[in-house]
Amino acid sequence: MPFAPTASDLPPKDSPTIALVHPTAEERFRTWELNGSSWRGRLSLEAYLRREEYLASQPFSRDEGMSFWILVDTASTGSSRAILASCESFRKRALIKRPGEDVQEVVSHGIGSVFCNPEYRGRGYARRMMNELARQLDTWQQKNGEKAYFTVLYSDIGKEFYSKSGWRAFPSSHIALHPLIEDGNISLSNGELPVAEPLHAGQLMELCKDDEIALRSTLAKPQANKTVISVALIPDEKVIQWHHAREEFVANELLGKSPEIKGAIVQGEKGHRVWCLWTRTFGNEQSGNTMNILRLVIEGEVEEPEGSSFTSPGARLEESHRSQVLAATSVIQSACFEAAKWGMGDVQLWNPTPLTVLAAKKIDRSAEIVERADDSIASLRWHGPELDSTTELTWIGNEKYGWC
């Protein structure tokens, strides 16, 4: 049986005997049992435990792609040490562009599953764990002990807690659209939309490769502001497949079937295509189901700098990018159709660009940008050389695919 300390046995948060370590296999299983009570949703605990093992075996997670961390009191005695807090980190391929330098591929990490046993909350253990983790990730899995440039997480407890350990909140907005029933009368604008074809798993590898090439080119473009540092997580096939493995497992458990359509594309010559990849997220209740757009690619679109106004792109932008807007409308509409078939409550697009906003409003004129304040707050910690007050840090491609 695990050692369960009483209140008097618990060490203070600043105790020198507290350490962040990697769990044993048995301790890793215990962390899943603990957090499963909060995060399993409509899955049974047994199914949730199988899901976590399944996700840990995916190509994205294997070969030390996923690391497990627990906060423990190294001075504790007994057959098993108490887990004061726990989390996971995922190794992520990433890009950085610094002024006057070429685009560089680096190793970043995404942090997820931050959890503190409810019996131990209010004692500062989660804060201690995040501070310890920040130091560990400075050099974790970096070549030759070099220092990392940045790590990310997605907060479901607002912006304040993680910011105190260095993870700064970045733009975290989305547009939500209603599902649509597909029939002969639903196509918008009198049939002017181009045809969006469904995407299946076997098509994603080449698209992800093309997306990465385009993302590198976007970062390489000269910046008007010479003090901008741009970073991006790479939406490669392993990342996308991990999201799909998650939805497939839950869909099979809850509905007895697995989604086959992974996105939609409006074909064309390379450099003139538009596609989106999506994943179905199943909530605690069916009303909480969401079709999340993992990645929307509009080839040739110019990335807008952080802080640009997305709410009123204007008729001039629509006129100059008409074909791109219509193609984006078509693939987003396909997501709305698919959402209806799978009982999703809405379709969400994170941090939409001006062209994405125009496309969304063609489907629903009342669609508005929602600024999230409490959940899924994209947060980034800079581990690199100290930035001066004139340096601007921008996060390119801050979309759902980065979540973990």
Side-chain angles (χ1 to χ4, degrees), residues 180-188 333 337 341:
L180 297 173
I181 304 299
E182 186 173 8
D183 60 37
N185 300 317
I186 198 66
S187 294
L188 307 179
Q333 181 182 246
F337 291 154
K341 294 175 184 177

Side-chain angles (χ1 to χ4, degrees), residues 173-184:
S173 65
H174 67 265
I175 277 185
L177 298 171
H178 295 297
L180 297 173
I181 304 299
E182 186 173 8
D183 60 37

Side-chain angles (χ1 to χ4, degrees), residues 374-389:
D374 298 312
D375 61 292
S376 296
I377 304 300
S379 305
L380 184 150
R381 188 180 198 278
W382 180 253
H383 295 255
E386 185 174 353
L387 304 178
D388 61 37
S389 59

